[in-house]
Amino acid sequence: MDLDPVLLARLQFAFTIIFHIIFPAFTIGLSAYIATVLVLWLATGREHYHRLARFWTRIFAVSFAMGVVSGIVLSDQLRHQLEPLLGHTGRQRWSPR
């Protein structure tokens, strides 16, 4: 199998998008869980719920940051992959140049 640069770029983009989609889905679900645990803490006053929410908030922050970083890489890869299309359609929205 010949390793064509276009094929390698598409494989890298596929890996990046698969890696990226995990983080938004996880953080959306985790934010609902953290909100539920905080409501339980406010309703019951048990310190266990507060400690649990603080623990998961740290994981949420790391996951959110990873999603932002992979999203920045993803948008740059998308811009480079759409470069041939820009010659035909113009640079209206796709590129800041």
Side-chain angles (χ1 to χ4, degrees), residues 5-26:
V6 174
L7 176 65
L8 291 174
R10 289 179 179 163
L11 287 174
Q12 182 181 8
F13 181 74
F15 173 76
T16 305
I17 201 159
I18 289 169
F19 182 74
H20 172 73
I21 198 63
I22 293 169
F23 294 109
F26 181 68

Side-chain angles (χ1 to χ4, degrees), residues 37 41 46-56 58:
V37 171
W41 172 58
R46 292 181 58 195
E47 189 60 31
H48 171 72
Y49 290 126
H50 189 240
R51 284 196 323 261
L52 193 62
R54 284 183 28 219
F55 170 77
W56 283 107
R58 291 182 187 130

Side-chain angles (χ1 to χ4, degrees), residues 19 37 43 70 75 83 92-93:
F19 182 74
V37 171
S70 65
S75 67
E83 196 71 34
Q92 293 142 3
R93 303 184 43 191

Side-chain angles (χ1 to χ4, degrees), residues 10-90:
R10 289 179 179 163
L11 287 174
Q12 182 181 8
F13 181 74
F15 173 76
T16 305
I17 201 159
I18 289 169
F19 182 74
H20 172 73
I21 198 63
I22 293 169
F23 294 109
F26 181 68
T27 54
I28 288 170
L30 190 57
S31 64
Y33 175 71
I34 292 170
T36 304
V37 171
L38 284 173
V39 167
L40 286 172
W41 172 58
L42 291 174
T44 63
R46 292 181 58 195
E47 189 60 31
H48 171 72
Y49 290 126
H50 189 240
R51 284 196 323 261
L52 193 62
R54 284 183 28 219
F55 170 77
W56 283 107
T57 301
R58 291 182 187 130
I59 293 174
F60 174 83
V62 170
S63 177
F64 188 84
M66 291 291 289
V68 167
V69 170
S70 65
I72 290 170
V73 171
L74 188 67
S75 67
D76 191 52
Q77 286 180 345
L78 188 62
R79 184 177 60 86
H80 287 294
Q81 295 227 354
L82 290 177
E83 196 71 34
L85 180 66
L86 296 176
H88 300 294
T89 61

